[in-house]
Amino acid sequence: MFNRKSDWHRVLKVGLVLLWIGGLGLLGGCESLTKITAAPAQKSGVQVWSENCATCHYMRPPNAYSDAQWDVAVHHMRVRANLTTEEQQAILEYLKAAN
Amino acid sequence: MDSRRLIFGIVGLMALTAVAHSAQEKISDDHYVSRQEHEKLKGDYEKLKQEMEQLKGQMQALLKREAPAPAQPPAPPSAAPSPAPPVATQPAIEELKKELRTVKAQAEATKPGSTKFLLTGYGAAGYADRGRGKSSFNAVFAPIFLWKLGDRVFFEGEPLFELEEDETKVDLEYAHITYLLNNYVTLGAGKFLNPSNYFIERLHPAWINKLPDIPLPFVGETAIQAESQLGFQLRGGVPIGPTRLGYAFYVSNGPKLRDSGEDAGTLDFDNFEDINNDKAVGGRIGFVPIPYLELGYGFEVAGVHGNGLRSVDAVTHSVDANYVRSVGWLRGNVDFRAQYAWLEIDNPGVNQLNFKNQRDGGYAQIAYRPSLAAVPILKDLEGVFRYDWLNLPANAPLNADEQRWTVGLNYWFTPSTALKAAYEFDDRKGAIDDNAFLMQFATGF
């Protein structure tokens, strides 16, 4: 099994392409372009926190930092994870409320 | 000591540590407080206590003045429930609570170094026993300095301390200043982690990376994509209905082409004093069609040349897919990653580089942690499997294609501290395989 390198590569490449097509299909399946460019659905702070932070790493508990420290840490992660101001604020409000 | 015994010994030690830890209570994530901070908080508490006593006295005096003279003796305590506090005390209690919150916020804000500055980062200690080399322990320390200089201006810097041969090597991983132009656009300048390389930008820190080492395409002299860029970048995110798009585009010094020696034809990404006026342009777009799934495409176009050679184009592409979420029916967390990158460099027309200079590589990794399991010790264990590979040009001096299968087992003490053990099965074309046993104890702070 380990010697059939080209097969492994083919499976991975096809898999990645399929994921892309699937993702674009989900985008195309939206009801209308107007709806696509509409304002984002309001998500709770804990939802935004979970959907964005957990994409890369396990999440530290809200009491890991003080409110002031979270302010700095979340700004750092906003830049790294390409978050919007609304998403940054939602995460911060959740962390401060739960702290 | 025989290396096999050492490996068994370390694995045994890891198992004992995991068992011992699971038998104890979870380590508290609370911070330690210095003596000075303790004294200050104690002073604040005493002051608050005095104010409360004064308020209580004033309240009682006020109530005495307002209350009518008692007409009958008080009822025995068990006869009726205690009366509700007089209406006049409610505003006072609210006022007191407000004051308490203000004092607490002031105490937090005056902690040294926490108002606009945060020291964070990670450190790791490890052990590697590779088939082609001697076994050795290793350590790395990467503090990250964060300054919030205002609502829009931010600075982040990370020096990386590593032990290499007989010296401590220091690298500047990044020194990056950013300015928020608006809700969706951030301007950055300096040295920053390569946005077109998802693994390096998001997943490489030891406390995040699920395995003790880095996939083949992103490390060493044959790396396909750079770890960092020196230049400017524009980045941000845009929600599009229920989906979202993240983007980052940069212009940077770009790499230079190695034109001699055994690594001729590879790219040197440490081009800090640019050797020409050609710059690299690149970026990445990440699309999130559904929560927890991100699909990305990255690219870089650079004019590169070696000493005295004409400039040629080097074009890199990469695609990545990432899916991470807790799955109820699997009673745990599933973490899937894949990234594939390919690079083509034009021929500058000299003998030592007279070959088709194309290389590609990637990795696919899946990790599973039964975080919803009923048995406590299982919740903190995580199994990992990774396949990574690198294909090099057939006629290049460095041309041994390589592929690896790595299995790993991690034990998570906290969300940012893990003990990792892994075994790597290596397969090199035309060269001796380099199987390895790896261990790492990593923490993010």
Side-chain angles (χ1 to χ4, degrees):
Chain A
M1 179 183 74
F2 287 178
N3 292 328
R4 301 191 65 181
K5 189 175 173 183
S6 58
D7 289 350
W8 275 87
H9 294 178
R10 201 168 296 131
V11 167
L12 283 170
K13 286 173 198 172
V14 170
L16 281 169
V17 169
L18 285 176
L19 275 168
W20 257 100
I21 293 168
L24 292 172
L26 282 168
L27 178 64
C30 292
E31 286 177 18
S32 70
L33 282 174
T34 319
K35 194 170 179 181
I36 289 169
T37 51
Q42 288 298 315
K43 290 182 177 177
S44 66
V46 65
Q47 203 176 353
V48 180
W49 179 63
S50 159
E51 287 178 9
N52 289 282
C53 307
T55 307
C56 293
H57 54 77
Y58 290 126
M59 294 178 293
R60 299 177 191 202
N63 67 358
Y65 291 132
S66 68
D67 289 357
Q69 288 172 323
W70 275 125
D71 204 27
V72 182
V74 174
H75 193 119
H76 169 60
M77 292 318 302
R78 177 227 168 113
V79 175
R80 182 66 55 85
N82 297 325
L83 303 178
T84 63
T85 305
E86 287 80 11
E87 288 165 334
Q88 179 189 8
Q89 288 306 321
I91 292 171
L92 256 181
E93 278 168 24
Y94 161 69
L95 289 169
K96 288 179 178 178
N99 201 349
Chain B
M1 187 190 288
D2 178 55
S3 63
R4 200 172 295 168
R5 284 187 186 175
L6 184 59
I7 290 168
F8 283 127
I10 292 171
V11 172
L13 190 64
M14 185 188 173
L16 279 173
T17 311
V19 172
H21 176 261
S22 70
Q24 292 174 359
E25 286 182 4
K26 282 273 181 197
I27 294 170
S28 168
D29 286 309
D30 291 343
H31 291 282
Y32 292 102
V33 177
S34 70
R35 185 79 199 168
Q36 194 184 357
E37 289 165 350
H38 171 77
E39 291 300 333
K40 186 178 181 312
L41 287 171
K42 196 177 163 189
D44 288 343
Y45 170 72
E46 291 297 335
K47 196 177 159 195
L48 197 65
K49 204 170 153 188
Q50 280 177 8
E51 285 177 9
M52 272 182 77
E53 289 300 328
Q54 281 174 2
L55 273 170
K56 220 191 264 178
Q58 287 170 3
M59 195 69 62
Q60 277 169 356
L62 193 70
L63 286 172
K64 269 182 194 168
R65 276 207 303 274
E66 286 181 355
Q72 49 189 328
S78 59
S82 58
V87 178
T89 60
Q90 289 302 333
I93 290 169
E94 287 306 316
E95 185 67 27
L96 203 60
K97 280 182 180 171
K98 203 184 282 178
E99 200 172 338
L100 190 63
R101 279 198 294 271
T102 309
V103 170
K104 195 180 166 190
Q106 282 171 351
E108 285 290 331
T110 51
K111 275 186 185 173
S114 63
T115 307
K116 289 180 176 177
F117 171 75
L118 179 63
L119 176 60
T120 177
Y122 64 93
Y127 171 79
D129 186 0
R130 293 194 176 274
R132 295 204 311 175
K134 290 177 182 168
S135 61
S136 177
F137 292 95
N138 54 69
V140 62
F141 173 51
I144 297 174
F145 302 88
L146 305 175
W147 275 277
K148 187 171 179 177
L149 303 165
D151 286 342
R152 290 175 181 270
V153 186
F154 195 80
F155 179 84
E156 54 187 12
E158 180 193 324
L160 176 70
F161 298 86
E162 278 180 299
L163 301 174
E164 196 173 275
E165 295 178 354
D166 296 332
E167 292 176 351
T168 301
K169 185 183 158 200
V170 184
D171 276 335
L172 183 62
E173 284 277 279
Y174 54 84
H176 184 214
I177 186 162
T178 58
Y179 183 81
L180 304 183
L181 292 172
N182 59 44
N183 289 355
Y184 311 107
V185 187
T186 300
L187 172 69
K191 188 168 189 260
F192 45 88
L193 292 174
N194 186 1
S196 65
N197 188 341
Y198 187 89
F199 178 87
I200 288 297
E201 193 190 49
R202 309 283 180 91
L203 308 173
H204 88 278
W207 72 276
I208 298 175
N209 189 5
K210 304 282 186 196
L211 288 170
D213 66 353
I214 285 175
L216 286 168
F218 315 129
V219 68
E221 290 168 341
T222 52
I224 293 175
Q225 290 183 280
E227 285 187 7
S228 61
Q229 302 288 347
L230 180 59
F232 282 87
Q233 67 169 330
L234 273 178
R235 62 187 303 151
V238 186
I240 310 174
T243 71
R244 76 184 307 279
L245 197 73
Y247 67 88
F249 298 106
Y250 60 85
V251 56
S252 68
N253 276 354
K256 52 191 174 190
L257 181 63
R258 295 190 183 99
D259 56 14
S260 60
E262 68 166 12
D263 52 7
T266 61
L267 292 178
D268 181 359
F269 297 108
D270 291 340
N271 184 21
F272 302 140
E273 282 185 26
D274 207 346
I275 61 168
N276 61 11
N277 287 323
D278 291 338
K279 301 294 172 227
V281 176
R284 177 182 175 273
I285 294 171
F287 176 52
V288 183
I290 53 171
Y292 309 105
L293 172 67
E294 181 165 356
L295 307 168
Y297 166 70
F299 71 96
E300 182 180 293
V301 180
V304 297
H305 71 207
N307 295 322
L309 301 181
R310 71 181 174 89
S311 181
V312 292
D313 287 341
V315 182
T316 314
H317 302 270
S318 77
V319 286
D320 58 79
N322 303 273
Y323 181 73
V324 183
R325 79 166 305 172
S326 183
V327 183
W329 60 271
L330 282 174
R331 304 196 65 76
N333 198 67
V334 175
D335 184 306
F336 170 77
R337 316 274 182 191
Q339 188 168 333
Y340 174 64
W342 64 103
L343 163 69
E344 182 166 359
I345 305 169
D346 288 347
N347 191 333
V350 291
N351 283 340
Q352 62 270 31
L353 298 177
N354 195 17
F355 54 83
K356 197 173 183 184
N357 201 349
Q358 289 179 334
R359 53 198 76 215
D360 69 272
Y363 82 101
Q365 175 183 289
I366 188 154
Y368 169 68
R369 178 178 172 184
S371 49
L372 304 174
V375 185
I377 192 169
L378 290 180
K379 289 181 178 182
D380 297 324
L381 282 174
E382 181 176 57
V384 191
F385 172 76
R386 183 185 72 195
Y387 170 66
D388 59 336
W389 79 95
L390 179 66
N391 291 326
L392 300 173
N395 297 317
L398 282 178
N399 61 6
D401 293 351
E402 187 175 1
Q403 57 182 341
R404 302 187 300 195
W405 295 264
T406 309
V407 287
L409 184 65
N410 302 333
Y411 183 80
W412 289 89
F413 292 87
T414 72
S416 60
T417 303
L419 183 60
K420 310 181 223 173
Y423 194 84
E424 228 163 51
F425 299 91
D426 183 57
D427 176 24
R428 288 187 186 206
K429 191 175 157 189
I432 302 166
D433 296 344
D434 194 20
N435 294 349
F437 173 75
L438 307 165
M439 284 207 70
Q440 190 179 57
F441 192 24
T443 186
F445 52 84

